[in-house]
Amino acid sequence: MDIGAFEWTITLVVILGLLAFDFFFHVRKAHEPSLKEAALWSTFYIVAALLFGLVIWWMDGATYATEYYAGYITEKALSVDNLFVFMVIMGSFAVPRIYQQKVLLFGIVFALISRTAFILAGAWLINTLAWMFYIFGLVLLLTAGNLLKGEMTGDNAGDEADNFMVRLAKRVLNTSEEYDRDKLVTTISGKRMFTPMLLVMVAIGLTDLLFAFDSIPAIFGLTNQAYIVFTATAFSLMGLRQLYFLIDGLLDRLVYLSYGLAIILGFIGVKLILHALHENNLPFINDGEPVPVAEVETGVSLIVILAILTVTVVLSLTSKKGRALRVVQNAARYANEYLSLPADADPTERAVKSEKFQLWWERSRELDDRWVNELTDHRDQYLALLHKARGQQINDAG
């Protein structure tokens, strides 16, 4: 694939232009995107990514276009998984909803910068040291194993990484207790201090570095073209901010996403090791000669990745666990909304909130206790919240 300086320049200008547009027209003025706004811009970035694949098809052929699409879909799935950790971080720091866009955009820009560095390093390594495919493959197999282990034992590696980053950032930076809008620095009693906003960005930036270790080997398992790796990664990150607000309530319902990602990473890890054996030059393996093994075609990889993601999403949304989680989340959500109504709230609004809470209250009462125990971090607090809202509802009705 012959990509000259002109094509690279145009690509970089387009990506930087989209990021600048995102900042000046959406993020600079703090607000919480509406569902319509998030849906429109998420669609725009996905369509842009798909059209870019057609450009590659037109200029460089179907093989490279297939590699791009396989890389884009894999990176997009990994990026959605990253949103879980971003949610935990922003929840840990209680970031006001209207300022979360700025944090997310920073995370996207930092991820793009860090992954570009990893891409350049990875491209150099695999072009110089063919045996690096063995290393990349083993990294992905270990990552897949850790994901499965975390799901089976209930230990969330992403949360552990997040907690470590948060503790490290808090220890190093002197920050105020309160936010000052979306400023990074504030003045308290004549003393300049960092705000929690900076702390959040540092935590997300450091976490992005950890994600890059999984992300870049995964896409290099699908293509060794640095241009495809970079553009697929960049387009997978673009629109992630809007996607966060669009599927915010859906993220937690993807209960089997980690299993799907583990299978995908394991599959790509095996594909990398097969490729390494096919190109082998290590003297202690087959006397330094290539090993005659079957390789997985990129078209097959794309079909396998799409199939795994489809099955994962369908199972997540239709499983008993997924449906139970929806009930738990909505019961807590509408309980909070009902209790937050002011005393002089409009009667129509109060009636609507009451009706929604009533619906999910009744469904929550039908849940098996094991789901409540498994799906809530603090069972007693969750039940107390529902009973408080129910008591308020009875008082209002009386």
Side-chain angles (χ1 to χ4, degrees):
M1 190 176 191
D2 186 20
I3 302 296
F6 178 75
E7 289 87 349
W8 272 105
T9 301
I10 293 297
T11 303
L12 290 172
V13 168
V14 169
I15 291 172
L16 292 175
L18 288 172
L19 288 172
F21 176 83
D22 230 7
F23 176 76
F24 287 107
F25 291 93
H26 293 112
V27 175
R28 187 169 62 170
K29 184 178 180 180
H31 72 287
E32 179 182 347
S34 65
L35 186 62
K36 180 181 178 181
E37 178 185 340
L40 286 173
W41 285 104
S42 293
T43 302
F44 168 80
Y45 282 111
I46 290 172
V47 170
L50 297 177
L51 290 177
F52 185 79
L54 294 180
V55 172
I56 291 179
W57 193 315
W58 172 56
M59 297 183 65
D60 301 288
T63 300
Y64 288 129
T66 304
E67 290 180 1
Y68 165 81
Y69 283 126
Y72 169 74
I73 292 169
T74 300
E75 291 297 302
K76 197 68 174 178
L78 290 169
S79 296
V80 170
D81 193 44
N82 295 355
L83 289 180
F84 284 103
V85 180
F86 288 173
M87 287 177 65
V88 171
I89 292 175
M90 288 192 282
S92 299
F93 288 98
V95 181
R97 188 79 169 169
I98 62 172
Y99 303 139
Q100 289 182 4
Q101 286 201 94
K102 185 172 184 178
V103 176
L104 288 167
L105 185 60
F106 168 81
I108 291 168
V109 172
F110 190 88
L112 190 56
I113 293 171
S114 62
R115 293 181 195 195
T116 299
F118 276 97
I119 289 168
L120 295 175
W124 179 82
L125 285 171
I126 63 175
N127 287 326
T128 308
L129 307 170
W131 52 266
M132 282 302 298
F133 282 112
Y134 286 113
I135 304 297
F136 282 5
L138 288 173
V139 166
L140 293 182
L141 289 175
L142 288 172
T143 302
N146 287 332
L147 275 174
L148 288 176
K149 179 183 176 183
E151 286 298 313
M152 292 177 179
T153 62
D155 297 328
N156 191 313
D159 289 351
E160 291 173 5
D162 164 56
N163 291 334
F164 168 74
M165 295 303 177
V166 170
R167 290 196 304 270
L168 179 63
K170 285 183 176 179
R171 188 177 303 153
V172 173
L173 299 175
N174 179 31
T175 60
S176 62
E177 293 295 327
E178 302 294 333
Y179 287 90
D180 185 1
R181 290 180 294 176
D182 59 351
K183 293 180 180 178
L184 302 181
V185 180
T186 189
T187 302
I188 298 178
S189 302
K191 182 180 179 181
R192 291 181 66 79
M193 302 178 68
F194 295 117
T195 69
M197 182 64 72
L198 178 64
L199 205 57
V200 177
M201 290 185 175
V202 170
I204 282 184
L206 293 175
T207 306
D208 272 333
L209 290 177
L210 294 182
F211 287 139
F213 281 104
D214 303 335
S215 170
I216 300 308
I219 192 170
F220 268 116
L222 299 167
T223 178
N224 60 3
Q225 299 295 326
Y227 182 77
I228 292 179
V229 174
F230 173 76
T231 52
T233 301
F235 275 107
S236 73
L237 292 170
M238 303 296 291
L240 198 60
R241 175 183 63 79
Q242 294 88 345
L243 191 63
Y244 173 87
F245 290 97
L246 179 63
I247 64 175
D248 189 5
L250 179 64
L251 277 177
D252 285 340
R253 290 187 60 201
L254 300 179
V255 290
Y256 297 123
L257 179 61
S258 291
Y259 288 106
L261 290 176
I263 295 171
I264 289 172
L265 292 178
F267 168 75
I268 297 174
V270 171
K271 183 177 184 294
L272 272 172
I273 291 176
L274 289 175
H275 179 72
L277 289 169
H278 190 268
E279 303 291 329
N280 179 66
N281 58 10
L282 293 178
F284 53 85
I285 298 179
N286 199 34
D287 295 325
E289 296 297 321
V291 181
V293 295
E295 288 201 82
V296 182
E297 298 293 332
T298 305
V300 174
S301 299
L302 178 58
I303 293 171
V304 169
I305 291 167
L306 283 171
I308 292 171
L309 287 176
T310 300
V311 171
T312 298
V313 171
V314 171
L315 285 179
S316 293
L317 299 180
T318 59
S319 67
K320 290 182 178 179
K321 184 176 181 180
R323 293 197 299 270
L325 183 58
R326 181 168 180 249
V327 173
V328 168
Q329 289 177 331
N330 282 336
R333 173 188 172 186
Y334 290 114
N336 275 314
E337 288 187 3
Y338 187 72
L339 291 171
S340 298
L341 287 171
D344 59 348
D346 180 73
T348 302
E349 181 184 8
R350 185 175 295 279
V352 169
K353 299 287 186 185
S354 177
E355 183 180 346
K356 288 182 177 179
F357 169 68
Q358 181 67 28
L359 170 66
W360 294 104
W361 158 260
E362 292 174 358
R363 292 185 180 181
S364 70
R365 306 227 345 135
E366 298 171 359
L367 279 183
D368 191 300
D369 282 344
R370 74 185 183 93
W371 291 124
V372 177
N373 293 332
E374 182 179 340
L375 299 173
T376 56
D377 294 330
H378 304 286
R379 178 181 182 277
D380 291 341
Q381 292 181 17
Y382 166 77
L383 294 176
L385 171 66
L386 298 194
H387 285 291
K388 182 179 179 181
R390 178 59 178 161
Q392 181 64 49
Q393 187 182 49
I394 293 172
N395 289 336
D396 290 343

